[in-house]
Amino acid sequence: MSSKSTDKTPGFESKCVAFALRKSALTVGRIYSAEMAEAPLRGPLFSLMMTIRRTGPATISALAREVGLERTTLTRDLRSLEQRRLIQISAGGANSKSVVLTKLGEQEVQKSLVHWQAAQARVLEALGTERWKRMRADLAAVMALEGM
């Protein structure tokens, strides 16, 4: 008897929202990984550092909401960045901590940004600006599902 599934649901891959989004994210992620291989900051840590840079001093809870992570998961990532002296975490207010980039963190972001720009240009060239604008709107609608 074969261990393969007998479910031959036609078009699962083309109909499943989660499958399509996951596969798309992996495809784009591989392009960014290749372009950013030499960058000091890559992947989710680069995105997190860019968010910290954009928001300025922010609480861990606010950052977690901004990047869509659980606070405990974000805290682990922040600890790694703090150990590398790329961010500083200090008491913010009542039971909160504030996160800011250090000078070294800003320098590493600047070095990484060049690689990110190459990745971004590569993907945008393949997709086209108009398609990306439509996709951004569609992805915003997908992200809004979390609030349902």
Side-chain angles (χ1 to χ4, degrees):
M1 186 178 268
S2 172
S3 63
K4 288 186 178 181
S5 171
T6 58
D7 184 4
K8 303 285 186 190
T9 306
F12 166 82
E13 293 84 358
S14 65
K15 293 178 183 176
C16 180
V17 175
F19 180 86
L21 289 172
R22 192 174 302 115
K23 188 171 180 182
S24 298
L26 290 169
T27 299
V28 171
R30 282 190 284 275
I31 294 168
Y32 278 77
S33 290
E35 291 291 339
M36 296 187 74
E38 302 299 318
L41 296 166
R42 296 176 295 282
L45 290 182
F46 172 74
S47 297
L48 177 56
M49 290 287 286
M50 289 297 291
T51 302
I52 295 168
R53 181 182 192 222
R54 180 177 49 81
T55 61
T59 66
I60 294 174
S61 294
L63 279 173
R65 281 190 304 277
E66 188 72 22
V67 297
L69 291 174
E70 294 292 326
R71 193 176 188 284
T72 54
T73 302
L74 177 62
T75 300
R76 283 192 299 271
D77 290 342
L78 292 174
R79 195 172 305 127
S80 166
L81 294 171
E82 186 178 37
Q83 289 170 348
R84 292 171 58 185
R85 302 187 197 296
L86 302 178
I87 62 167
Q88 181 178 0
I89 302 173
S90 56
N95 297 328
S96 70
K97 294 181 179 181
S98 180
V99 181
V100 294
L101 292 185
T102 63
K103 185 175 180 180
L104 177 60
E106 179 61 35
Q107 291 169 350
E108 297 293 273
V109 165
Q110 287 295 325
K111 291 176 193 172
S112 301
L113 199 51
V114 174
H115 299 277
W116 174 84
Q117 289 168 334
Q120 184 79 352
R122 185 172 159 194
V123 172
L124 288 178
E125 183 178 326
L127 290 176
T129 304
E130 289 306 311
R131 178 181 287 150
W132 174 233
K133 284 180 184 176
R134 291 189 310 269
M135 288 174 67
R136 281 181 53 195
D138 292 341
L139 290 170
V142 171
M143 289 181 274
L145 293 174
E146 194 164 45
M148 291 177 48

